[in-house]
Amino acid sequence: MGPAYEDKVKMFFNEHLHEDEEIRYILDGEGFFDVRSTEDEWVRIRLVQGDLIILPAGIYHRFTTDNSNYIKAMRLFKDEPKWTPLNRAPEVDGVPARQEYLSRA
C-alpha cells in the first residue's frame, strides 16, 4: 500500500488525545480503538461496519486496523473541525481538555 499509508497507520497508533470529541462512524471494514482506563490500562474496542464511537476530549487513545488492513471511517464534528493530535507527553497531561476529562472520570 506504500510508505504514505504505512506512515498514516503509524501516526494513528501513536498514543494521543484531542482537545475535542472524536466521533467516528465506520462505513466499511473493521479496526480497533484502544483507550486508557481510569487505571491507565489499555481497553480495546472492536469496531465494525455500522458502529459509531464517541471518544471524549482529553482521553488518551490510539487506533489500528485488523488483519485485513482495511477500514473506511467518517469523522464527524459538532463545531469547527480540529484534527490536531497531541501525542502523550508530561506537558500534554496539563492541557485543559485532559484535566477536564480526568475530573469527570
Side-chain angles (χ1 to χ4, degrees):
M1 293 200 186
Y5 174 80
E6 293 299 325
D7 288 345
K8 186 63 79 172
V9 168
K10 288 176 187 172
M11 181 188 76
F12 283 126
F13 198 67
N14 285 331
E15 184 176 5
H16 63 279
L17 61 78
H18 299 282
E19 295 180 284
D20 60 347
E21 288 180 329
E22 182 165 355
I23 306 167
R24 295 275 182 171
Y25 179 70
I26 308 305
L27 298 166
D28 196 14
E30 55 187 85
F32 301 94
F33 268 97
D34 297 331
V35 298
R36 289 287 186 178
S37 72
T38 54
E39 293 81 32
D40 207 33
E41 299 290 328
W42 284 119
V43 176
R44 178 154 277 191
I45 302 165
R46 180 174 175 252
L47 297 172
V48 299
Q49 183 179 13
D51 285 346
L52 175 78
I53 189 167
I54 302 173
L55 300 177
I59 190 170
Y60 281 116
H61 64 281
R62 62 187 183 187
F63 176 80
T64 192
T65 59
D66 68 355
N67 290 338
S68 71
N69 213 22
Y70 172 77
I71 192 163
K72 183 176 182 182
M74 178 188 326
R75 184 157 181 200
L76 305 167
F77 299 92
K78 291 191 314 187
D79 298 312
E80 189 67 27
K82 296 179 189 172
W83 290 94
T84 307
L86 302 176
N87 289 335
R88 189 165 189 172
E91 60 273 12
V92 174
D93 286 336
V95 300
R98 179 66 179 161
Q99 292 301 305
E100 186 176 328
Y101 170 75
L102 291 172
S103 73
R104 292 188 320 256

Short mmCIF file of all heavy atoms in Angstrom, two decimals, residues 26-55:
data_model
loop_
_atom_site.label_atom_id
_atom_site.label_comp_id
_atom_site.label_asym_id
_atom_site.label_seq_id
_atom_site.Cartn_x
_atom_site.Cartn_y
_atom_site.Cartn_z
N ILE A 26 -18.12 4.00 11.28
CA ILE A 26 -17.42 3.03 10.44
C ILE A 26 -18.30 2.67 9.24
O ILE A 26 -19.37 2.08 9.40
CB ILE A 26 -17.05 1.76 11.25
CG1 ILE A 26 -16.31 2.13 12.54
CG2 ILE A 26 -16.23 0.81 10.39
CD1 ILE A 26 -15.07 2.99 12.37
N LEU A 27 -17.82 3.06 8.07
CA LEU A 27 -18.56 2.82 6.83
C LEU A 27 -18.31 1.43 6.27
O LEU A 27 -19.20 0.84 5.65
CB LEU A 27 -18.17 3.87 5.79
CG LEU A 27 -18.50 5.32 6.16
CD1 LEU A 27 -17.79 6.29 5.24
CD2 LEU A 27 -20.01 5.53 6.13
N ASP A 28 -17.08 0.92 6.46
CA ASP A 28 -16.73 -0.39 5.91
C ASP A 28 -15.47 -0.88 6.61
O ASP A 28 -14.69 -0.09 7.15
CB ASP A 28 -16.48 -0.28 4.41
CG ASP A 28 -16.50 -1.63 3.70
OD1 ASP A 28 -16.95 -2.62 4.29
OD2 ASP A 28 -16.03 -1.68 2.54
N GLY A 29 -15.25 -2.18 6.60
CA GLY A 29 -14.07 -2.76 7.23
C GLY A 29 -14.21 -2.80 8.74
O GLY A 29 -15.30 -2.66 9.30
N GLU A 30 -13.06 -2.99 9.40
CA GLU A 30 -13.07 -3.02 10.86
C GLU A 30 -11.70 -2.68 11.41
O GLU A 30 -10.69 -2.74 10.70
CB GLU A 30 -13.56 -4.35 11.40
CG GLU A 30 -12.84 -5.58 10.90
CD GLU A 30 -13.53 -6.85 11.37
OE1 GLU A 30 -14.49 -7.29 10.69
OE2 GLU A 30 -13.12 -7.39 12.41
N GLY A 31 -11.69 -2.30 12.67
CA GLY A 31 -10.45 -1.93 13.33
C GLY A 31 -10.66 -1.83 14.83
O GLY A 31 -11.71 -2.23 15.35
N PHE A 32 -9.67 -1.29 15.50
CA PHE A 32 -9.69 -1.23 16.96
C PHE A 32 -9.27 0.14 17.46
O PHE A 32 -8.25 0.68 17.03
CB PHE A 32 -8.70 -2.26 17.55
CG PHE A 32 -8.99 -3.66 17.14
CD1 PHE A 32 -8.35 -4.22 16.04
CD2 PHE A 32 -9.89 -4.44 17.84
CE1 PHE A 32 -8.60 -5.52 15.65
CE2 PHE A 32 -10.15 -5.75 17.46
CZ PHE A 32 -9.50 -6.29 16.37
N PHE A 33 -10.06 0.68 18.38
CA PHE A 33 -9.63 1.83 19.17
C PHE A 33 -9.19 1.28 20.51
O PHE A 33 -9.92 0.50 21.14
CB PHE A 33 -10.78 2.82 19.39
CG PHE A 33 -10.84 3.90 18.37
CD1 PHE A 33 -11.70 3.79 17.29
CD2 PHE A 33 -10.06 5.03 18.49
CE1 PHE A 33 -11.77 4.79 16.34
CE2 PHE A 33 -10.12 6.04 17.55
CZ PHE A 33 -10.97 5.92 16.47
N ASP A 34 -8.01 1.66 20.94
CA ASP A 34 -7.54 1.36 22.29
C ASP A 34 -7.66 2.65 23.08
O ASP A 34 -7.19 3.70 22.64
CB ASP A 34 -6.07 0.92 22.28
CG ASP A 34 -5.84 -0.37 21.52
OD1 ASP A 34 -6.77 -1.21 21.47
OD2 ASP A 34 -4.74 -0.56 20.99
N VAL A 35 -8.31 2.57 24.24
CA VAL A 35 -8.46 3.74 25.11
C VAL A 35 -7.89 3.41 26.48
O VAL A 35 -7.84 2.24 26.88
CB VAL A 35 -9.93 4.19 25.23
CG1 VAL A 35 -10.49 4.60 23.89
CG2 VAL A 35 -10.80 3.11 25.85
N ARG A 36 -7.45 4.42 27.20
CA ARG A 36 -6.90 4.24 28.54
C ARG A 36 -8.03 4.24 29.57
O ARG A 36 -8.89 5.11 29.57
CB ARG A 36 -5.91 5.35 28.88
CG ARG A 36 -4.61 5.26 28.12
CD ARG A 36 -3.77 4.13 28.63
NE ARG A 36 -2.44 4.15 27.99
CZ ARG A 36 -1.51 3.29 28.29
NH1 ARG A 36 -1.71 2.36 29.19
NH2 ARG A 36 -0.35 3.36 27.67
N SER A 37 -8.00 3.25 30.47
CA SER A 37 -8.95 3.21 31.58
C SER A 37 -8.53 4.22 32.64
O SER A 37 -7.45 4.83 32.54
CB SER A 37 -8.97 1.80 32.19
OG SER A 37 -7.76 1.58 32.91
N THR A 38 -9.36 4.38 33.66
CA THR A 38 -9.00 5.29 34.76
C THR A 38 -7.77 4.79 35.51
O THR A 38 -7.10 5.57 36.18
CB THR A 38 -10.18 5.46 35.74
OG1 THR A 38 -10.61 4.18 36.18
CG2 THR A 38 -11.33 6.21 35.08
N GLU A 39 -7.43 3.50 35.37
CA GLU A 39 -6.22 2.94 35.98
C GLU A 39 -5.04 2.97 35.01
O GLU A 39 -4.00 2.36 35.25
CB GLU A 39 -6.46 1.49 36.45
CG GLU A 39 -7.43 1.37 37.61
CD GLU A 39 -8.88 1.43 37.14
OE1 GLU A 39 -9.19 0.98 36.02
OE2 GLU A 39 -9.71 1.96 37.91
N ASP A 40 -5.20 3.66 33.87
CA ASP A 40 -4.17 3.82 32.85
C ASP A 40 -3.83 2.50 32.15
O ASP A 40 -2.72 2.31 31.66
CB ASP A 40 -2.92 4.49 33.42
CG ASP A 40 -2.14 5.26 32.37
OD1 ASP A 40 -2.76 5.81 31.44
OD2 ASP A 40 -0.90 5.31 32.46
N GLU A 41 -4.79 1.59 32.08
CA GLU A 41 -4.64 0.33 31.36
C GLU A 41 -5.35 0.45 30.01
O GLU A 41 -6.33 1.17 29.87
CB GLU A 41 -5.28 -0.83 32.15
CG GLU A 41 -4.66 -1.06 33.52
CD GLU A 41 -3.26 -1.63 33.44
OE1 GLU A 41 -2.97 -2.37 32.49
OE2 GLU A 41 -2.46 -1.32 34.34
N TRP A 42 -4.85 -0.27 29.01
CA TRP A 42 -5.49 -0.26 27.70
C TRP A 42 -6.79 -1.06 27.73
O TRP A 42 -6.85 -2.15 28.29
CB TRP A 42 -4.59 -0.86 26.64
CG TRP A 42 -3.47 0.04 26.19
CD1 TRP A 42 -2.14 -0.22 26.30
CD2 TRP A 42 -3.58 1.31 25.55
NE1 TRP A 42 -1.41 0.83 25.77
CE2 TRP A 42 -2.28 1.78 25.30
CE3 TRP A 42 -4.66 2.11 25.17
CZ2 TRP A 42 -2.02 2.99 24.69
CZ3 TRP A 42 -4.41 3.32 24.56
CH2 TRP A 42 -3.10 3.76 24.31
N VAL A 43 -7.82 -0.51 27.09
CA VAL A 43 -9.08 -1.21 26.84
C VAL A 43 -9.28 -1.19 25.33
O VAL A 43 -9.29 -0.13 24.71
CB VAL A 43 -10.26 -0.51 27.54
CG1 VAL A 43 -11.57 -1.19 27.19
CG2 VAL A 43 -10.04 -0.45 29.05
N ARG A 44 -9.40 -2.36 24.72
CA ARG A 44 -9.53 -2.47 23.26
C ARG A 44 -11.01 -2.55 22.88
O ARG A 44 -11.77 -3.34 23.44
CB ARG A 44 -8.80 -3.70 22.75
CG ARG A 44 -8.95 -3.89 21.25
CD ARG A 44 -7.81 -4.65 20.66
NE ARG A 44 -6.73 -3.69 20.42
CZ ARG A 44 -5.65 -3.98 19.71
NH1 ARG A 44 -5.50 -5.17 19.18
NH2 ARG A 44 -4.71 -3.06 19.52
N ILE A 45 -11.39 -1.72 21.91
CA ILE A 45 -12.77 -1.67 21.43
C ILE A 45 -12.76 -2.02 19.94
O ILE A 45 -12.15 -1.32 19.14
CB ILE A 45 -13.38 -0.27 21.63
CG1 ILE A 45 -13.33 0.13 23.11
CG2 ILE A 45 -14.81 -0.22 21.10
CD1 ILE A 45 -13.56 1.61 23.35
N ARG A 46 -13.42 -3.12 19.60
CA ARG A 46 -13.51 -3.54 18.20
C ARG A 46 -14.66 -2.80 17.54
O ARG A 46 -15.77 -2.76 18.07
CB ARG A 46 -13.74 -5.04 18.12
CG ARG A 46 -13.85 -5.56 16.71
CD ARG A 46 -13.94 -7.09 16.71
NE ARG A 46 -14.17 -7.58 15.37
CZ ARG A 46 -15.32 -8.09 14.95
NH1 ARG A 46 -16.33 -8.20 15.78
NH2 ARG A 46 -15.44 -8.52 13.72
N LEU A 47 -14.39 -2.24 16.37
CA LEU A 47 -15.41 -1.53 15.61
C LEU A 47 -15.56 -2.18 14.24
O LEU A 47 -14.57 -2.52 13.59
CB LEU A 47 -15.01 -0.07 15.43
CG LEU A 47 -14.90 0.74 16.72
CD1 LEU A 47 -14.31 2.11 16.44
CD2 LEU A 47 -16.25 0.87 17.38
N VAL A 48 -16.81 -2.33 13.81
CA VAL A 48 -17.12 -2.92 12.52
C VAL A 48 -18.09 -2.00 11.78
O VAL A 48 -18.60 -1.02 12.35
CB VAL A 48 -17.72 -4.33 12.65
CG1 VAL A 48 -16.74 -5.28 13.34
CG2 VAL A 48 -19.04 -4.29 13.41
N GLN A 49 -18.35 -2.32 10.53
CA GLN A 49 -19.26 -1.53 9.71
C GLN A 49 -20.55 -1.22 10.46
O GLN A 49 -21.16 -2.12 11.05
CB GLN A 49 -19.56 -2.26 8.42
CG GLN A 49 -20.43 -1.47 7.48
CD GLN A 49 -20.69 -2.22 6.18
OE1 GLN A 49 -20.43 -3.41 6.07
NE2 GLN A 49 -21.21 -1.52 5.20
N GLY A 50 -20.94 0.05 10.48
CA GLY A 50 -22.17 0.47 11.14
C GLY A 50 -21.99 0.95 12.57
O GLY A 50 -22.90 1.51 13.15
N ASP A 51 -20.81 0.74 13.14
CA ASP A 51 -20.55 1.19 14.51
C ASP A 51 -20.24 2.68 14.54
O ASP A 51 -19.69 3.24 13.59
CB ASP A 51 -19.37 0.44 15.12
CG ASP A 51 -19.72 -0.98 15.54
OD1 ASP A 51 -20.91 -1.32 15.61
OD2 ASP A 51 -18.77 -1.75 15.79
N LEU A 52 -20.59 3.29 15.65
CA LEU A 52 -20.29 4.68 15.92
C LEU A 52 -19.59 4.74 17.27
O LEU A 52 -20.03 4.08 18.22
CB LEU A 52 -21.57 5.51 15.98
CG LEU A 52 -21.43 6.98 16.37
CD1 LEU A 52 -20.93 7.78 15.16
CD2 LEU A 52 -22.74 7.54 16.85
N ILE A 53 -18.51 5.51 17.36
CA ILE A 53 -17.81 5.67 18.63
C ILE A 53 -17.62 7.16 18.88
O ILE A 53 -17.35 7.92 17.94
CB ILE A 53 -16.47 4.92 18.66
CG1 ILE A 53 -15.88 4.91 20.08
CG2 ILE A 53 -15.49 5.47 17.65
CD1 ILE A 53 -14.73 3.95 20.28
N ILE A 54 -17.79 7.55 20.13
CA ILE A 54 -17.54 8.92 20.54
C ILE A 54 -16.53 8.87 21.67
O ILE A 54 -16.82 8.36 22.75
CB ILE A 54 -18.83 9.63 21.00
CG1 ILE A 54 -19.87 9.62 19.89
CG2 ILE A 54 -18.51 11.06 21.46
CD1 ILE A 54 -21.23 10.13 20.30
N LEU A 55 -15.34 9.37 21.39
CA LEU A 55 -14.30 9.44 22.42
C LEU A 55 -14.31 10.85 23.00
O LEU A 55 -14.25 11.83 22.26
CB LEU A 55 -12.92 9.15 21.82
CG LEU A 55 -12.74 7.78 21.17
CD1 LEU A 55 -11.36 7.67 20.56
CD2 LEU A 55 -12.97 6.68 22.18
#
